[in-house]
Amino acid sequence: MFKRVRPATVISGWRKRTVVTAALVAAAAMTFFIVADAQAGESAKVEPLLAYGARIIGDDARTRIVIEFDRAPDFSVHYLANPERIVVDLPATAFGFPAGDLEARGLFKDIRYGRMDEDSARIVLTATRPVKLDVAKVQADEGGKGQRLVLDAAMTENDKFAELVKAQSWNDPSSQQATGAIPGPAKPADGDFIIAVDAGHGGIDTGAVGVDTKTLEKDVTLAFAKALADRLNREAGIKAFLTRNDDSFLSLSQRVEIARQNHAGLFISMHADTLKQKDIRGATVYTISDRASDKLAADLADRENLSDQIAGRETVAEPPEVADILLDLTRRETQAFSISLATSVLASFKDQVGTINNPHRHAGFRVLQAPDVPSILLELGFLSNREDEKLLLDDAWRGKMADLLTEAVKHYRTAMVANGG
């Protein structure tokens, strides 16, 4: 224990220097121990689990999934309805097996797995019909290499599946993700124009897949979002920030809330989808509307709005009156500003970037529903088209797009200021 030292009334010059030196030595020693403790904490941090193998067998009555880990995983299982899904939550996990080893079959029509945040991962099994797990256990690998997670699923009746959903107690950990450290711009000054740059998809929600390189949409959008935010932040009076800056999952509502809590003046969500028509290519700008401009826009909005479902999130519908208020506000104020931004973007693209026919389209995108933040969803191109895919992976083209979008934002801002906005 340290004892309190009574200060001397008078200290000579020599003693004063000695006391100061001793104090500095003590402070240095304290700093050393603090740093050492911090470093020890870092080194003691648990490494992610490694899922190094997987297989699936069975039919439309019974299906078994086996995932091999380097050590025993803690896990929990939950059920979700509409559609029927089984959600398996895990600690931080690196999935190192080929995607083809866990392709959907038997009772499951879609299987997704990936990171939710820094400390957790998830497997989402979307079923063809109501299912239940007869077996969900961890057992030692016969070869002694590690541990296996074994999931045996069997078909069940509708009412029994409903009982499984109703009986469980579950607070989805991913729903708490945005309530902690909300991302935001670095030290905005008074009068700064704040822009939220949203990298679509992320974590367990991989998005589209490149036709040739198999590059994931979530990686393409993050690279473009970082390039755009960096470019915008070189402009005086503009502060841009990312809704996500790593491979983490964010729900659609979290993305909207992050923009609103940071008082963003613009929200730009970046995507690179795929289409069945491989010959269609070029950029597209979407704004929100209660009625889609065309089937392509409607289909895209439907796919993008499934992001939460893909990640095993339970979608809670807003009360009709709230939805009506949000849509009304969007029509009266924000939608007009969003359309103005879309016009500026397409003007900057003219003769510089290829676009699809009728490049400004609209539909009911949930990620664009902020009632007080003008928002656009930018399809940079299509990963289903080989030429677009090459451009999407080209650093020079990414820089060019960032420059053009920055000019569009500056033009939009100038026009808003001129109109008293």
Side-chain angles (χ1 to χ4, degrees), residues 170-197:
W170 181 29
N171 289 322
D172 183 355
S174 69
S175 67
Q176 306 302 317
Q177 183 174 339
T179 61
I182 299 289
K187 298 180 181 178
D190 290 342
D192 276 348
F193 190 51
I194 300 173
I195 303 169
V197 182

Side-chain angles (χ1 to χ4, degrees), residues 78-90:
H78 296 92
Y79 296 87
L80 287 175
N82 302 317
E84 292 87 358
R85 287 159 288 164
I86 298 174
V87 176
V88 181
D89 278 324
L90 297 162

Side-chain angles (χ1 to χ4, degrees), residues 2-61:
F2 292 102
K3 295 182 179 179
R4 185 180 301 275
V5 178
R6 181 181 299 170
T9 305
V10 179
I11 301 178
S12 67
W14 177 83
R15 288 185 62 200
K16 187 174 182 180
R17 287 193 299 273
T18 304
V19 170
V20 171
T21 302
L24 290 173
V25 171
M30 184 65 72
T31 301
F32 170 80
F33 286 120
I34 291 172
V35 172
D37 286 345
Q39 289 175 341
E42 281 296 315
S43 62
K45 191 174 182 180
V46 178
E47 288 295 316
L49 292 164
L50 173 62
Y52 61 85
R55 59 186 180 275
I56 178 171
I57 58 173
D59 54 28
D60 58 1

Side-chain angles (χ1 to χ4, degrees), residues 165-228:
V165 174
K166 186 177 180 180
Q168 67 193 351
S169 175
W170 181 29
N171 289 322
D172 183 355
S174 69
S175 67
Q176 306 302 317
Q177 183 174 339
T179 61
I182 299 289
K187 298 180 181 178
D190 290 342
D192 276 348
F193 190 51
I194 300 173
I195 303 169
V197 182
D198 177 55
H201 307 280
I204 191 172
D205 177 18
T206 58
V209 180
V211 64
D212 278 340
T213 65
K214 306 305 177 186
T215 301
L216 302 179
E217 182 182 3
K218 66 176 182 178
D219 297 329
V220 172
T221 61
L222 183 58
F224 270 91
K226 287 180 176 179
L228 177 58

